[in-house]
PDB file of all heavy atoms in Angstrom:
ATOM      1  N   TYR A   6     -87.448-122.071 204.680  1.00  0.00           N
ATOM      2  CA  TYR A   6     -86.134-121.886 205.308  1.00  0.00           C
ATOM      3  C   TYR A   6     -85.694-120.450 205.061  1.00  0.00           C
ATOM      4  O   TYR A   6     -85.306-120.089 203.949  1.00  0.00           O
ATOM      5  CB  TYR A   6     -85.145-122.878 204.691  1.00  0.00           C
ATOM      6  CG  TYR A   6     -83.851-123.059 205.444  1.00  0.00           C
ATOM      7  CD1 TYR A   6     -83.700-122.675 206.775  1.00  0.00           C
ATOM      8  CD2 TYR A   6     -82.759-123.647 204.821  1.00  0.00           C
ATOM      9  CE1 TYR A   6     -82.512-122.864 207.454  1.00  0.00           C
ATOM     10  CE2 TYR A   6     -81.560-123.849 205.488  1.00  0.00           C
ATOM     11  CZ  TYR A   6     -81.449-123.455 206.805  1.00  0.00           C
ATOM     12  OH  TYR A   6     -80.266-123.644 207.476  1.00  0.00           O
ATOM     13  N   GLY A   7     -85.836-119.632 206.096  1.00  0.00           N
ATOM     14  CA  GLY A   7     -85.457-118.229 205.968  1.00  0.00           C
ATOM     15  C   GLY A   7     -84.088-117.995 206.588  1.00  0.00           C
ATOM     16  O   GLY A   7     -83.625-118.775 207.419  1.00  0.00           O
ATOM     17  N   GLY A   8     -83.448-116.933 206.168  1.00  0.00           N
ATOM     18  CA  GLY A   8     -82.147-116.596 206.749  1.00  0.00           C
ATOM     19  C   GLY A   8     -81.539-115.438 205.985  1.00  0.00           C
ATOM     20  O   GLY A   8     -82.080-115.019 204.953  1.00  0.00           O
ATOM     21  N   THR A   9     -80.434-114.976 206.488  1.00  0.00           N
ATOM     22  CA  THR A   9     -79.771-113.874 205.790  1.00  0.00           C
ATOM     23  C   THR A   9     -78.976-114.432 204.611  1.00  0.00           C
ATOM     24  O   THR A   9     -78.815-113.782 203.590  1.00  0.00           O
ATOM     25  CB  THR A   9     -78.854-113.125 206.780  1.00  0.00           C
ATOM     26  OG1 THR A   9     -79.664-112.808 207.915  1.00  0.00           O
ATOM     27  CG2 THR A   9     -78.337-111.842 206.191  1.00  0.00           C
ATOM     28  N   PHE A  10     -78.483-115.657 204.757  1.00  0.00           N
ATOM     29  CA  PHE A  10     -77.749-116.331 203.683  1.00  0.00           C
ATOM     30  C   PHE A  10     -76.683-115.396 203.102  1.00  0.00           C
ATOM     31  O   PHE A  10     -76.657-115.113 201.901  1.00  0.00           O
ATOM     32  CB  PHE A  10     -78.708-116.843 202.600  1.00  0.00           C
ATOM     33  CG  PHE A  10     -79.740-117.813 203.120  1.00  0.00           C
ATOM     34  CD1 PHE A  10     -81.098-117.669 202.822  1.00  0.00           C
ATOM     35  CD2 PHE A  10     -79.366-118.876 203.922  1.00  0.00           C
ATOM     36  CE1 PHE A  10     -82.041-118.563 203.307  1.00  0.00           C
ATOM     37  CE2 PHE A  10     -80.308-119.785 204.419  1.00  0.00           C
ATOM     38  CZ  PHE A  10     -81.639-119.616 204.110  1.00  0.00           C
ATOM     39  N   HIS A  14     -74.228-121.258 202.811  1.00  0.00           N
ATOM     40  CA  HIS A  14     -73.054-122.137 202.910  1.00  0.00           C
ATOM     41  C   HIS A  14     -73.467-123.598 203.089  1.00  0.00           C
ATOM     42  O   HIS A  14     -74.665-123.903 203.193  1.00  0.00           O
ATOM     43  CB  HIS A  14     -72.132-121.665 204.041  1.00  0.00           C
ATOM     44  CG  HIS A  14     -72.823-121.456 205.365  1.00  0.00           C
ATOM     45  ND1 HIS A  14     -73.384-122.501 206.076  1.00  0.00           N
ATOM     46  CD2 HIS A  14     -73.045-120.332 206.095  1.00  0.00           C
ATOM     47  CE1 HIS A  14     -73.900-122.019 207.205  1.00  0.00           C
ATOM     48  NE2 HIS A  14     -73.720-120.710 207.238  1.00  0.00           N
ATOM     49  N   GLY A  16     -73.271-125.513 205.555  1.00  0.00           N
ATOM     50  CA  GLY A  16     -73.999-125.773 206.809  1.00  0.00           C
ATOM     51  C   GLY A  16     -75.493-125.626 206.585  1.00  0.00           C
ATOM     52  O   GLY A  16     -76.286-126.484 207.001  1.00  0.00           O
ATOM     53  N   HIS A  17     -75.905-124.551 205.927  1.00  0.00           N
ATOM     54  CA  HIS A  17     -77.326-124.362 205.604  1.00  0.00           C
ATOM     55  C   HIS A  17     -77.844-125.536 204.774  1.00  0.00           C
ATOM     56  O   HIS A  17     -78.919-126.061 205.019  1.00  0.00           O
ATOM     57  CB  HIS A  17     -77.520-123.097 204.747  1.00  0.00           C
ATOM     58  CG  HIS A  17     -77.210-121.802 205.425  1.00  0.00           C
ATOM     59  ND1 HIS A  17     -76.354-120.866 204.888  1.00  0.00           N
ATOM     60  CD2 HIS A  17     -77.653-121.262 206.590  1.00  0.00           C
ATOM     61  CE1 HIS A  17     -76.294-119.809 205.676  1.00  0.00           C
ATOM     62  NE2 HIS A  17     -77.055-120.019 206.735  1.00  0.00           N
ATOM     63  N   ALA A  20     -78.133-129.051 206.564  1.00  0.00           N
ATOM     64  CA  ALA A  20     -79.286-129.105 207.472  1.00  0.00           C
ATOM     65  C   ALA A  20     -80.587-129.154 206.668  1.00  0.00           C
ATOM     66  O   ALA A  20     -81.500-129.929 206.986  1.00  0.00           O
ATOM     67  CB  ALA A  20     -79.275-127.883 208.390  1.00  0.00           C
ATOM     68  N   LYS A  44     -80.439-109.228 213.942  1.00  0.00           N
ATOM     69  CA  LYS A  44     -79.054-108.790 213.797  1.00  0.00           C
ATOM     70  C   LYS A  44     -78.938-107.987 212.514  1.00  0.00           C
ATOM     71  O   LYS A  44     -79.048-108.557 211.426  1.00  0.00           O
ATOM     72  CB  LYS A  44     -78.116-110.006 213.766  1.00  0.00           C
ATOM     73  CG  LYS A  44     -78.721-111.243 213.103  1.00  0.00           C
ATOM     74  CD  LYS A  44     -77.852-112.471 213.199  1.00  0.00           C
ATOM     75  CE  LYS A  44     -78.451-113.585 212.354  1.00  0.00           C
ATOM     76  NZ  LYS A  44     -77.821-114.856 212.430  1.00  0.00           N
ATOM     77  N   MET A 106     -85.413-124.263 211.176  1.00  0.00           N
ATOM     78  CA  MET A 106     -84.494-123.335 211.864  1.00  0.00           C
ATOM     79  C   MET A 106     -83.409-124.093 212.619  1.00  0.00           C
ATOM     80  O   MET A 106     -83.612-125.220 213.068  1.00  0.00           O
ATOM     81  CB  MET A 106     -85.270-122.422 212.818  1.00  0.00           C
ATOM     82  CG  MET A 106     -85.936-123.125 213.974  1.00  0.00           C
ATOM     83  SD  MET A 106     -86.865-121.964 214.968  1.00  0.00           S
ATOM     84  CE  MET A 106     -88.311-121.758 213.969  1.00  0.00           C
ATOM     85  N   GLY A 107     -82.265-123.450 212.774  1.00  0.00           N
ATOM     86  CA  GLY A 107     -81.169-124.017 213.547  1.00  0.00           C
ATOM     87  C   GLY A 107     -81.338-123.718 215.026  1.00  0.00           C
ATOM     88  O   GLY A 107     -82.219-122.941 215.428  1.00  0.00           O
ATOM     89  N   SER A 108     -80.456-124.351 215.833  1.00  0.00           N
ATOM     90  CA  SER A 108     -80.607-124.252 217.289  1.00  0.00           C
ATOM     91  C   SER A 108     -80.611-122.814 217.805  1.00  0.00           C
ATOM     92  O   SER A 108     -81.392-122.471 218.687  1.00  0.00           O
ATOM     93  CB  SER A 108     -79.498-125.040 217.990  1.00  0.00           C
ATOM     94  OG  SER A 108     -78.384-125.215 217.156  1.00  0.00           O
ATOM     95  N   ASP A 109     -79.754-121.954 217.243  1.00  0.00           N
ATOM     96  CA  ASP A 109     -79.685-120.575 217.757  1.00  0.00           C
ATOM     97  C   ASP A 109     -81.038-119.884 217.640  1.00  0.00           C
ATOM     98  O   ASP A 109     -81.485-119.201 218.568  1.00  0.00           O
ATOM     99  CB  ASP A 109     -78.602-119.770 216.997  1.00  0.00           C
ATOM    100  CG  ASP A 109     -78.756-119.825 215.471  1.00  0.00           C
ATOM    101  OD1 ASP A 109     -79.242-120.852 214.960  1.00  0.00           O
ATOM    102  OD2 ASP A 109     -78.404-118.834 214.809  1.00  0.00           O
ATOM    103  N   MET A 110     -81.710-120.102 216.534  1.00  0.00           N
ATOM    104  CA  MET A 110     -83.017-119.475 216.305  1.00  0.00           C
ATOM    105  C   MET A 110     -84.074-120.089 217.227  1.00  0.00           C
ATOM    106  O   MET A 110     -84.883-119.390 217.823  1.00  0.00           O
ATOM    107  CB  MET A 110     -83.451-119.667 214.846  1.00  0.00           C
ATOM    108  CG  MET A 110     -82.586-118.936 213.865  1.00  0.00           C
ATOM    109  SD  MET A 110     -82.840-117.169 214.032  1.00  0.00           S
ATOM    110  CE  MET A 110     -81.197-116.572 213.907  1.00  0.00           C
ATOM    111  N   PHE A 132     -83.146-128.114 213.872  1.00  0.00           N
ATOM    112  CA  PHE A 132     -81.945-128.950 213.784  1.00  0.00           C
ATOM    113  C   PHE A 132     -80.801-128.274 214.504  1.00  0.00           C
ATOM    114  O   PHE A 132     -80.798-127.059 214.708  1.00  0.00           O
ATOM    115  CB  PHE A 132     -81.567-129.234 212.328  1.00  0.00           C
ATOM    116  CG  PHE A 132     -81.769-128.068 211.418  1.00  0.00           C
ATOM    117  CD1 PHE A 132     -80.863-127.021 211.383  1.00  0.00           C
ATOM    118  CD2 PHE A 132     -82.887-128.011 210.587  1.00  0.00           C
ATOM    119  CE1 PHE A 132     -81.057-125.949 210.545  1.00  0.00           C
ATOM    120  CE2 PHE A 132     -83.091-126.924 209.745  1.00  0.00           C
ATOM    121  CZ  PHE A 132     -82.178-125.887 209.731  1.00  0.00           C
ATOM    122  N   SER A 133     -79.831-129.116 214.835  1.00  0.00           N
ATOM    123  CA  SER A 133     -78.651-128.604 215.514  1.00  0.00           C
ATOM    124  C   SER A 133     -77.694-128.016 214.496  1.00  0.00           C
ATOM    125  O   SER A 133     -77.648-128.462 213.348  1.00  0.00           O
ATOM    126  CB  SER A 133     -77.995-129.781 216.236  1.00  0.00           C
ATOM    127  OG  SER A 133     -77.065-129.280 217.128  1.00  0.00           O
ATOM    128  N   ARG A 134     -76.936-127.002 214.895  1.00  0.00           N
ATOM    129  CA  ARG A 134     -75.898-126.493 213.989  1.00  0.00           C
ATOM    130  C   ARG A 134     -74.528-126.617 214.608  1.00  0.00           C
ATOM    131  O   ARG A 134     -73.571-126.016 214.152  1.00  0.00           O
ATOM    132  CB  ARG A 134     -76.203-125.063 213.534  1.00  0.00           C
ATOM    133  CG  ARG A 134     -76.430-124.056 214.626  1.00  0.00           C
ATOM    134  CD  ARG A 134     -76.704-122.679 214.069  1.00  0.00           C
ATOM    135  NE  ARG A 134     -75.540-122.088 213.470  1.00  0.00           N
ATOM    136  CZ  ARG A 134     -75.486-120.878 212.931  1.00  0.00           C
ATOM    137  NH1 ARG A 134     -76.574-120.136 212.908  1.00  0.00           N
ATOM    138  NH2 ARG A 134     -74.381-120.397 212.429  1.00  0.00           N
ATOM    139  N   ASN A 163     -79.539-133.873 212.388  1.00  0.00           N
ATOM    140  CA  ASN A 163     -78.633-133.311 211.365  1.00  0.00           C
ATOM    141  C   ASN A 163     -77.348-134.143 211.377  1.00  0.00           C
ATOM    142  O   ASN A 163     -76.412-133.862 212.110  1.00  0.00           O
ATOM    143  CB  ASN A 163     -78.353-131.835 211.710  1.00  0.00           C
ATOM    144  CG  ASN A 163     -77.560-131.118 210.636  1.00  0.00           C
ATOM    145  OD1 ASN A 163     -77.191-131.716 209.628  1.00  0.00           O
ATOM    146  ND2 ASN A 163     -77.291-129.840 210.848  1.00  0.00           N
ATOM    147  N   ILE A 167     -72.257-129.091 209.942  1.00  0.00           N
ATOM    148  CA  ILE A 167     -71.074-128.364 209.470  1.00  0.00           C
ATOM    149  C   ILE A 167     -71.006-127.091 210.306  1.00  0.00           C
ATOM    150  O   ILE A 167     -71.873-126.215 210.193  1.00  0.00           O
ATOM    151  CB  ILE A 167     -71.178-128.058 207.962  1.00  0.00           C
ATOM    152  CG1 ILE A 167     -71.266-129.398 207.208  1.00  0.00           C
ATOM    153  CG2 ILE A 167     -69.985-127.236 207.496  1.00  0.00           C
ATOM    154  CD1 ILE A 167     -71.442-129.296 205.727  1.00  0.00           C
ATOM    155  N   VAL A 169     -70.222-123.965 210.909  1.00  0.00           N
ATOM    156  CA  VAL A 169     -69.725-122.713 210.334  1.00  0.00           C
ATOM    157  C   VAL A 169     -70.883-121.718 210.344  1.00  0.00           C
ATOM    158  O   VAL A 169     -72.048-122.108 210.291  1.00  0.00           O
ATOM    159  CB  VAL A 169     -69.199-122.927 208.887  1.00  0.00           C
ATOM    160  CG1 VAL A 169     -70.313-123.210 207.904  1.00  0.00           C
ATOM    161  CG2 VAL A 169     -68.369-121.752 208.417  1.00  0.00           C
ATOM    162  N   SER A 170     -70.537-120.447 210.472  1.00  0.00           N
ATOM    163  CA  SER A 170     -71.562-119.408 210.339  1.00  0.00           C
ATOM    164  C   SER A 170     -71.150-118.529 209.167  1.00  0.00           C
ATOM    165  O   SER A 170     -69.972-118.495 208.775  1.00  0.00           O
ATOM    166  CB  SER A 170     -71.643-118.569 211.613  1.00  0.00           C
ATOM    167  OG  SER A 170     -70.466-117.793 211.729  1.00  0.00           O
ATOM    168  N   SER A 171     -72.117-117.791 208.651  1.00  0.00           N
ATOM    169  CA  SER A 171     -71.791-116.880 207.547  1.00  0.00           C
ATOM    170  C   SER A 171     -70.793-115.830 208.017  1.00  0.00           C
ATOM    171  O   SER A 171     -69.927-115.407 207.239  1.00  0.00           O
ATOM    172  CB  SER A 171     -73.060-116.218 207.013  1.00  0.00           C
ATOM    173  OG  SER A 171     -73.907-117.182 206.460  1.00  0.00           O
ATOM    174  N   THR A 172     -70.890-115.431 209.281  1.00  0.00           N
ATOM    175  CA  THR A 172     -69.959-114.424 209.810  1.00  0.00           C
ATOM    176  C   THR A 172     -68.518-114.940 209.719  1.00  0.00           C
ATOM    177  O   THR A 172     -67.627-114.244 209.219  1.00  0.00           O
ATOM    178  CB  THR A 172     -70.303-114.108 211.293  1.00  0.00           C
ATOM    179  OG1 THR A 172     -71.674-113.719 211.335  1.00  0.00           O
ATOM    180  CG2 THR A 172     -69.425-113.012 211.860  1.00  0.00           C
ATOM    181  N   ARG A 175     -67.393-115.092 206.062  1.00  0.00           N
ATOM    182  CA  ARG A 175     -67.045-113.793 205.454  1.00  0.00           C
ATOM    183  C   ARG A 175     -65.608-113.420 205.822  1.00  0.00           C
ATOM    184  O   ARG A 175     -64.861-112.909 204.992  1.00  0.00           O
ATOM    185  CB  ARG A 175     -68.025-112.702 205.905  1.00  0.00           C
ATOM    186  CG  ARG A 175     -69.423-112.842 205.316  1.00  0.00           C
ATOM    187  CD  ARG A 175     -70.259-111.589 205.543  1.00  0.00           C
ATOM    188  NE  ARG A 175     -70.491-111.285 206.940  1.00  0.00           N
ATOM    189  CZ  ARG A 175     -71.454-111.787 207.705  1.00  0.00           C
ATOM    190  NH1 ARG A 175     -72.319-112.658 207.180  1.00  0.00           N
ATOM    191  NH2 ARG A 175     -71.589-111.443 208.967  1.00  0.00           N
TER     192      ARG A 175
HETATM  193  P1  ATP B 501     -74.525-115.035 210.382  1.00  0.00           P
HETATM  194  O1  ATP B 501     -73.243-115.616 210.817  1.00  0.00           O
HETATM  195  O2  ATP B 501     -74.393-113.980 209.312  1.00  0.00           O
HETATM  196  O3  ATP B 501     -75.385-114.626 211.530  1.00  0.00           O
HETATM  197  P2  ATP B 501     -75.637-117.698 209.918  1.00  0.00           P
HETATM  198  O4  ATP B 501     -74.588-118.581 209.379  1.00  0.00           O
HETATM  199  O5  ATP B 501     -76.021-117.864 211.343  1.00  0.00           O
HETATM  200  O6  ATP B 501     -75.334-116.186 209.596  1.00  0.00           O
HETATM  201  P3  ATP B 501     -78.257-117.293 208.755  1.00  0.00           P
HETATM  202  O7  ATP B 501     -78.382-117.103 207.315  1.00  0.00           O
HETATM  203  O8  ATP B 501     -78.566-116.155 209.628  1.00  0.00           O
HETATM  204  O9  ATP B 501     -76.836-117.948 208.964  1.00  0.00           O
HETATM  205  O10 ATP B 501     -79.120-118.537 209.246  1.00  0.00           O
HETATM  206  C1  ATP B 501     -80.290-118.992 208.611  1.00  0.00           C
HETATM  207  C2  ATP B 501     -80.757-120.263 209.277  1.00  0.00           C
HETATM  208  O11 ATP B 501     -79.763-121.275 209.079  1.00  0.00           O
HETATM  209  C3  ATP B 501     -80.946-120.177 210.775  1.00  0.00           C
HETATM  210  O12 ATP B 501     -82.093-120.946 211.120  1.00  0.00           O
HETATM  211  C4  ATP B 501     -79.690-120.798 211.339  1.00  0.00           C
HETATM  212  O13 ATP B 501     -79.900-121.407 212.601  1.00  0.00           O
HETATM  213  C5  ATP B 501     -79.374-121.850 210.299  1.00  0.00           C
HETATM  214  N1  ATP B 501     -77.940-122.142 210.216  1.00  0.00           N
HETATM  215  C6  ATP B 501     -76.945-121.275 210.031  1.00  0.00           C
HETATM  216  N2  ATP B 501     -75.750-121.904 209.976  1.00  0.00           N
HETATM  217  C7  ATP B 501     -75.991-123.210 210.120  1.00  0.00           C
HETATM  218  C8  ATP B 501     -75.171-124.383 210.160  1.00  0.00           C
HETATM  219  N3  ATP B 501     -73.851-124.327 210.061  1.00  0.00           N
HETATM  220  N4  ATP B 501     -75.790-125.584 210.286  1.00  0.00           N
HETATM  221  C9  ATP B 501     -77.142-125.648 210.414  1.00  0.00           C
HETATM  222  N5  ATP B 501     -77.952-124.574 210.386  1.00  0.00           N
HETATM  223  C10 ATP B 501     -77.416-123.370 210.246  1.00  0.00           C
END
Side-chain angles (χ1 to χ4, degrees):
Y6 194 18
T9 308
F10 301 131
H14 51 66
H17 294 128
K44 33 186 188 186
M106 65 183 78
S108 22
D109 52 329
M110 293 291 138
F132 39 78
S133 194
R134 55 179 290 182
N163 187 359
I167 299 177
V169 70
S170 69
S171 296
T172 305
R175 289 192 298 275

